[in-house]
Amino acid sequence: MTWAIFYKLLAIVLVAALGWVVGRTRWLGDTQVDPARVLANTAFYLFAPALFFRTTARVDLAHLPWAMLAAFFAPVLAVMLGVYGVQRARRGRLGLPAAAPAVRAITATFGNSVQIGIPVVAGVLGETGLGLHLTLVSVHALTLLTVCTTLVELDLAREHAGEEAHLGRVLLGTLRNTVIHPVVLPVLAGLAWNLTGWGLPAPVDDTLQMLGSAVVPLCLTLIGMSLAYLGLPERLDGAIALSLIKLLLQPALVLGVAHWGFGLAGVPLAVLVLLACLPAGSNSMMFSQRYRTLEAETTAVNVLSTLACIAVIPLWLIVLAWIDPTLAVATGAAG
């Protein structure tokens, strides 16, 4: 299990490193051409919508584990809204752009549930845990990105209209920009298709799968390119704080709500905590690129939290085994 996770982390680092080499050598053009922005827009407007539509259109709504979903998303959304609220209150004093609170909120909560999450859960909890994890992953990005998109579009609409603008005008602009959006619109379209009960035609499904499979390597490459073009921020305190929220505070809240609030234990509890303690996902990088906000800081959080998870994930496994000794047997058998 340890070596499987290490190899997956190494692959992620190598892909990001290749992106850094591409950015450093200016193979795709210098900063005036801004190839990172072009790639980010390609991911955001083409590859990610295909992934979101296909995922929503195929998810089995009738058999979702609603208790697990509530036990996970209630504390995670609370963390997201808490980070957003604190950052929005401080935005004027710190001179941050309008999109900064939402960018920091998604960075502090969105986990790398595929590249790292799948091998971690498969190695630790086996097939049973992996099945539950994949079910949660099917609504993970859709939920968090939709909520955060609504928040950022509300802030942008408010800033564009002016602080004294009529509330109805602000809400109407927010609704329009939130729905006609490369994240939310494919989700709504996929959900509408899902509700019809029709399956996706094989050629359409294959096309969407091919486009969606490009999101992960493209976003990892973007992290490396952004590191080459932007470097790390002069101060890392913001990136460190967001990493601590992602790796320690969020999983602690999920553990408390899931175990003592919903009474979950065993493999379901472990799946939720592991999902909550994963390092920042590359979708946060795509989000910051989309709104041209805190790109260097978001890159730093992705790098720092991925490196730190080598120690953090075993720590949470120890905590879980202490709370529920049967998990020690289950993880030992899976590993």
Side-chain angles (χ1 to χ4, degrees):
M1 181 271 292
T2 302
W3 282 110
I5 295 172
F6 173 78
Y7 290 145
K8 184 58 66 173
L9 287 172
L10 180 61
I12 290 171
V13 170
L14 288 176
V15 174
L18 288 173
W20 181 86
V21 171
V22 169
R24 191 71 175 176
T25 57
R26 304 297 191 260
W27 286 351
L28 300 182
D30 56 22
T31 52
Q32 292 181 339
V33 178
D34 205 356
R37 186 80 53 203
V38 174
L39 290 179
N41 287 338
T42 304
F44 210 80
Y45 287 100
L46 179 60
F47 298 124
L51 175 64
F52 296 149
F53 177 86
R54 182 175 185 267
T55 301
T56 314
R58 290 165 53 92
V59 67
D60 187 358
L61 298 175
H63 295 92
L64 289 176
W66 295 108
M68 287 185 66
L69 290 173
F72 178 79
F73 285 109
V76 169
L77 288 175
V79 172
M80 174 182 283
L81 295 175
V83 172
Y84 169 81
V86 170
Q87 295 301 317
R88 194 170 187 280
R90 301 173 60 202
R91 186 177 75 83
R93 179 166 55 86
L94 298 177
L96 295 172
V103 169
R104 282 180 168 166
I106 194 70
T107 304
T109 52
F110 195 98
N112 193 333
S113 57
V114 176
Q115 304 103 305
I116 296 178
I118 289 177
V120 167
V121 174
V124 174
L125 300 171
E127 230 176 273
T128 302
L130 181 60
L132 293 173
H133 176 79
L134 291 175
T135 302
L136 291 167
V137 168
S138 69
V139 294
H140 177 246
L142 310 180
T143 302
L144 298 187
L145 286 175
T146 300
V147 171
C148 222
T149 296
T150 303
L151 294 175
V152 72
E153 291 297 341
L154 179 60
D155 284 342
L156 292 173
R158 186 186 292 111
E159 182 180 61
H160 179 73
E163 290 297 332
E164 298 181 358
H166 190 271
L167 179 61
R169 180 183 172 189
V170 172
L171 292 178
L172 183 62
T174 301
L175 178 62
R176 181 181 63 250
N177 292 333
T178 300
V179 173
I180 310 302
H181 190 279
V183 169
V184 179
L185 188 58
V187 171
L188 296 177
L191 181 61
W193 185 275
N194 192 316
L195 293 176
T196 65
W198 303 333
L200 290 172
V204 174
D205 188 49
D206 290 343
T207 301
L208 293 173
Q209 184 179 24
M210 186 180 301
L211 291 171
S213 64
V215 173
V216 169
L218 189 55
C219 287
L220 290 175
T221 304
L222 276 172
I223 292 174
M225 291 182 66
S226 298
L227 194 60
Y229 283 117
L230 304 172
L232 293 174
E234 293 182 4
R235 297 183 57 183
L236 288 174
D237 50 343
I240 292 173
L242 292 175
S243 298
L244 291 175
I245 291 172
K246 180 68 196 73
L247 298 175
L248 298 179
L249 176 61
Q250 179 168 276
L253 291 177
V254 169
L255 174 60
V257 170
H259 186 58
W260 289 283
F262 284 81
L264 296 178
V267 172
L269 176 64
V271 168
L272 295 182
V273 174
L274 287 176
L275 178 57
C277 78
L278 294 172
S282 53
N283 274 325
S284 61
M285 186 70 243
M286 185 175 66
F287 200 84
S288 70
Q289 289 270 0
R290 153 74 175 176
Y291 293 103
R292 302 193 175 195
T293 301
L294 302 178
E295 295 165 69
E297 180 181 90
T298 305
T299 300
V301 175
N302 275 266
V303 173
L304 293 176
S305 62
T306 299
L307 294 176
C309 81
I310 298 173
V312 170
I313 290 175
L315 173 66
W316 282 112
L317 290 175
I318 292 172
V319 172
L320 286 167
W322 176 71
I323 292 175
D324 186 353
T326 61
L327 277 173
V329 178
T331 57

